[in-house]
Amino acid sequence: MAGKILHYFAGGNTARGFYSLYDSNLKDLSRLFILKGGPGTGKSTLMKKIGRQWLEKGYNVEYLHCSSDNESIDGVMIPAIKAGIVDGTAPHVIEPKTPGAVEEYVNLGEAWDSRLLLESKQEIVKLSKEISQAFTQAYSTYAEALRIHDDLEKIYIDNIDFEKANSLTNRLIDMFFGTISLNKQSAVKHRFLGAATPKGPVDYIQNLTEDIPKRYFIKGRPGSGKSTMLKKLAAEAEERGFDVEVYHCGFDPESLDMVIIREIGICIFDSTAPHEYFPSRDGDEIIDMYKAVVAPGTDEIFADEIERVAKRYKERMLTASSHLARAKQFHDELETIYIKAVDFSIVDDFAEKIQADFLSQAALQEDISRQVLRV
């Protein structure tokens, strides 16, 4: 029986620039291959190929999607054998901490014909510059949007009953955990459930929560305390020894959008635009922050100001997305140049060597597991 794929982002195009959460997801690996090479050298294809091979063997696989092209992946991990592969090129530059022992570079540049690339040098330089400028403009525009969003949040923050907000959070803590604490160290993974992409917002909430029996959909307004509540719940879970998946906001990574505690079968997430969902199966439940903690009539009293600020925010977000789309267009043109210069049979050879290494790693993990059972 085939394994399952978990989809998420470990890096994002945010209002604070490109934001990486890779370290949190790679830290427990015993084997990590870091791919180097230009666009179009087959990094994503190589990782997907190896991911499929392990899926067919019945292993669960994690795909770390690319925020600049969500149909591509920037990493693949097989948690059961503690092994993974990541794209180690900009903007997610990943440096080895224990080179050779855990991490190993794979230079896909060996697969290209430098003479052919030299013939296109001017075009490569031009496109690379255009890509860099487009990303700079996107990040700058997202930063503007965040400042506008802060204005929108302030309206609701000024009208929150913080005592009610704290009371609601405490009730959820009691409901989720009761008096249970686990006698172990919590494992915490920081990720993104979605990202700003050239196609607009993309999320993997449905995939990430499909095996979770109890899902809580937080409804509310900007500034109504959703992220603060999620941070407190994540901190409580960690303190009690539960493993926690903490999903940051793809727009403002200092805020949270979702917390998953698989050991107790619970997920709670911000279910407002751009990742708005509604209960669709038994066990799903809505938590309405606006009704619970915001002064009644706030929407009506500040309707004109809310509409004006929300319009400015939406305009900035659309403009930022257009810059990402432009970067993607230039990147696709750059890929075309590199693809013509790459010998993909060499890339396939690299894939076979990595797969052989992973098979050895799987055998090693099985030996470790048997030794643990004997003890």
Side-chain angles (χ1 to χ4, degrees), residues 183-321:
N183 188 26
K184 68 177 181 66
Q185 183 75 32
S186 171
V188 183
K189 300 290 186 185
H190 292 269
R191 300 165 172 170
F192 293 103
L193 61 81
T197 80
K199 295 181 179 179
V202 171
D203 73 75
Y204 293 109
I205 288 175
Q206 298 287 34
N207 167 263
L208 291 165
T209 67
E210 65 181 356
D211 294 330
I212 306 295
K214 187 68 178 178
R215 301 189 301 177
Y216 292 88
F217 296 62
I218 309 174
K219 300 295 182 181
R221 310 289 189 272
S224 59
K226 300 186 296 294
S227 176
T228 299
M229 183 169 72
L230 288 171
K231 288 177 180 178
K232 289 180 179 179
L233 290 169
E236 186 71 25
E238 182 179 0
E239 185 176 331
R240 291 174 182 245
F242 290 96
D243 296 341
V244 193
E245 295 169 29
V246 180
Y247 291 87
H248 294 247
C249 172
F251 170 56
D252 178 8
E254 293 185 1
S255 293
L256 300 188
D257 275 346
M258 180 165 72
V259 172
I260 296 179
I261 312 158
R262 295 186 187 273
E263 288 166 311
I264 53 176
I266 284 177
C267 161
I268 179 167
F269 69 99
D270 180 343
S271 183
T272 57
H275 34 78
E276 184 174 24
Y277 292 93
F278 294 91
S280 59
R281 65 186 199 221
D282 291 343
D284 287 350
E285 189 173 328
I286 287 177
I287 297 172
D288 192 328
M289 296 293 286
Y290 180 77
K291 288 182 179 178
V293 306
V294 178
T298 298
D299 280 347
E300 291 76 17
I301 293 168
F302 297 95
D304 290 343
E305 184 179 354
I306 290 169
E307 182 180 4
R308 183 169 60 253
V309 175
K311 182 180 178 182
R312 287 171 54 219
Y313 168 70
K314 185 177 180 180
E315 288 171 350
R316 291 288 81 197
M317 292 295 284
L318 289 172
T319 299
S321 290

Side-chain angles (χ1 to χ4, degrees), residues 160-174:
I160 283 182
D161 185 326
F162 289 100
E163 187 174 329
K164 287 183 178 179
N166 290 333
S167 178
L168 174 58
T169 302
N170 290 333
R171 286 201 304 273
L172 289 175
I173 288 172
D174 289 340

Side-chain angles (χ1 to χ4, degrees), residues 28-291:
D28 296 328
L29 298 182
S30 298
R31 200 72 174 115
L32 176 65
F33 286 91
I34 302 171
L35 305 182
K36 296 290 185 178
T41 50
K43 297 187 292 294
S44 178
T45 301
L46 181 155
M47 289 186 280
K48 285 181 178 178
K49 178 180 179 180
I50 291 178
R52 282 194 301 271
Q53 289 172 339
W54 286 91
L55 279 169
E56 290 166 4
K57 291 176 181 291
Y59 286 79
N60 292 339
V61 173
E62 296 179 2
Y63 278 3
L64 285 63
H65 285 261
C66 173
S67 57
S68 298
D69 178 4
N70 66 289
E71 293 181 5
S72 293
I73 61 172
D74 282 340
V76 61
M77 293 195 297
I78 304 97
I81 65 170
K82 295 187 176 182
I85 317 167
V86 288
D87 180 348
T89 57
H92 32 74
V93 178
I94 297 165
E95 296 296 337
K97 294 178 175 58
T98 49
V102 174
E103 303 95 350
E104 187 169 327
Y105 281 123
V106 175
N107 180 17
L108 296 183
E110 293 180 21
W112 64 45
D113 186 334
S114 297
R115 291 173 301 173
L116 291 177
L117 294 177
L118 191 59
E119 292 173 5
S120 302
K121 179 181 176 181
Q122 288 186 336
E123 185 66 11
I124 290 172
V125 170
K126 176 177 175 292
L127 287 170
S128 298
K129 184 178 179 181
E130 295 277 14
I131 292 168
S132 178
Q133 289 177 342
F135 276 117
T136 298
Q137 289 173 316
Y139 298 148
S140 174
T141 309
Y142 279 129
E144 289 178 38
L146 179 58
R147 289 192 289 271
I148 296 169
H149 193 267
D150 288 344
D151 292 338
L152 194 58
E153 284 191 338
K154 189 176 185 304
I155 296 171
Y156 292 99
I157 290 171
D158 289 344
N159 288 277
I160 283 182
D161 185 326
F162 289 100
E163 187 174 329
K164 287 183 178 179
N166 290 333
S167 178
L168 174 58
T169 302
N170 290 333
R171 286 201 304 273
L172 289 175
I173 288 172
D174 289 340
M175 189 189 309
F176 290 2
F177 309 111
T179 59
I180 301 172
S181 289
L182 303 183
N183 188 26
K184 68 177 181 66
Q185 183 75 32
S186 171
V188 183
K189 300 290 186 185
H190 292 269
R191 300 165 172 170
F192 293 103
L193 61 81
T197 80
K199 295 181 179 179
V202 171
D203 73 75
Y204 293 109
I205 288 175
Q206 298 287 34
N207 167 263
L208 291 165
T209 67
E210 65 181 356
D211 294 330
I212 306 295
K214 187 68 178 178
R215 301 189 301 177
Y216 292 88
F217 296 62
I218 309 174
K219 300 295 182 181
R221 310 289 189 272
S224 59
K226 300 186 296 294
S227 176
T228 299
M229 183 169 72
L230 288 171
K231 288 177 180 178
K232 289 180 179 179
L233 290 169
E236 186 71 25
E238 182 179 0
E239 185 176 331
R240 291 174 182 245
F242 290 96
D243 296 341
V244 193
E245 295 169 29
V246 180
Y247 291 87
H248 294 247
C249 172
F251 170 56
D252 178 8
E254 293 185 1
S255 293
L256 300 188
D257 275 346
M258 180 165 72
V259 172
I260 296 179
I261 312 158
R262 295 186 187 273
E263 288 166 311
I264 53 176
I266 284 177
C267 161
I268 179 167
F269 69 99
D270 180 343
S271 183
T272 57
H275 34 78
E276 184 174 24
Y277 292 93
F278 294 91
S280 59
R281 65 186 199 221
D282 291 343
D284 287 350
E285 189 173 328
I286 287 177
I287 297 172
D288 192 328
M289 296 293 286
Y290 180 77
K291 288 182 179 178

Side-chain angles (χ1 to χ4, degrees), residues 328-346:
K328 172 75 165 56
Q329 178 187 337
F330 293 134
H331 188 273
D332 288 347
E333 292 177 30
L334 194 58
E335 277 193 338
T336 301
I337 296 172
Y338 275 85
I339 287 170
K340 292 176 182 177
V342 173
D343 181 346
F344 286 99
S345 67
I346 296 175

